[in-house]
Amino acid sequence: MSTPDVPFDQQVAELRPYLMKFARLQLRNDAWAEDAVSETLLAALNKPQAFERRSQLKTWLVGILKHKVVDALRHHGREVCVGSDSDDEREDPLDHMAFKADGHFAEAPAEWGNPEQDLDQRQFMTILEACTERLPPVQGRLFLMREWLELSTEEICKELDLTPTNLYVLLHRARLRLRECLEQHWFAPTARP
């Protein structure tokens, strides 16, 4: 929420660390993240009247940053190695541990309680971000492109020269790893703060 007694440019500047964290998580390149955040801040400061206070300033800036991140991904997309010889292409042992041969869970997932309440908790978001950062680079990038930037399968495949099947496999693996990490660090009874 914006504070009327604090100048707009100062409010924007105070959100820079949060925006950098978001951009680094998606782009996994400090220089690209810095560029995307700088462009976001310049856009906001050049047109402060565009912020109509229908949402929080942070939400508005993240919306701008999402577009800048997508632009950076398009511009730099070919510089990231996404080849058939990458680590993500090898068989994932997590697949065998999590599922039976018939495709059903080997062990029922742990009870996650009320996910809507947990999403509202800052601590949960911190754990989720840490788990996302632990994903292999390609899986993390694809997961964020799909879930946070809300890019379509077609857009992601076109940008990274992937087949839809390959994308689905990588997203499946990313979700399995995130599930495992969240169960260990958040949903386990002893892990909760």
Side-chain angles (χ1 to χ4, degrees), residues 158-172:
K158 182 179 177 185
E159 287 303 317
L160 300 177
D161 196 28
L162 294 172
T163 64
T165 302
N166 193 8
L167 173 62
Y168 295 137
V169 167
L170 293 171
L171 286 172
H172 170 74

Side-chain angles (χ1 to χ4, degrees), residues 10-117:
Q10 184 179 339
Q11 292 177 49
V12 170
E14 289 172 357
L15 290 169
R16 186 180 183 288
Y18 176 81
L19 298 173
M20 280 300 298
K21 185 174 183 179
F22 179 91
R24 278 190 189 113
L25 192 61
Q26 175 56 42
L27 296 171
R28 299 190 186 248
N29 180 302
D30 287 343
W32 300 352
E34 181 67 45
D35 289 346
V37 169
S38 294
E39 290 175 18
T40 298
L41 297 178
L42 282 174
L45 294 172
N46 284 336
K47 294 189 180 179
Q49 68 279 9
F51 177 55
E52 298 173 349
R53 301 188 192 287
R54 288 190 216 154
S55 63
Q56 292 185 357
L57 180 59
K58 181 176 172 180
T59 305
W60 182 66
L61 290 171
V62 168
I64 296 170
L65 180 58
K66 281 183 179 183
H67 294 288
K68 302 300 181 184
V69 166
V70 169
D71 290 345
L73 289 171
R74 288 187 177 130
H75 185 273
H76 300 290
R78 303 291 183 234
E79 294 179 31
V80 175
C81 178
V82 183
S84 60
D85 59 343
S86 73
D87 289 342
D88 289 326
E89 293 297 316
R90 287 185 265 149
E91 192 162 322
D92 193 341
L94 203 56
D95 287 337
H96 295 293
M97 292 171 32
F99 298 100
K100 297 180 198 172
D102 64 2
H104 291 90
F105 284 113
E107 187 177 309
E111 177 59 41
W112 285 20
N114 185 341
E116 288 182 11
Q117 273 183 335

Side-chain angles (χ1 to χ4, degrees), residues 138-151:
V138 172
Q139 287 179 12
R141 183 173 185 211
L142 294 175
F143 178 79
L144 292 172
M145 289 173 81
R146 179 61 177 217
E147 302 302 331
W148 288 16
L149 298 178
E150 299 175 353
L151 295 178

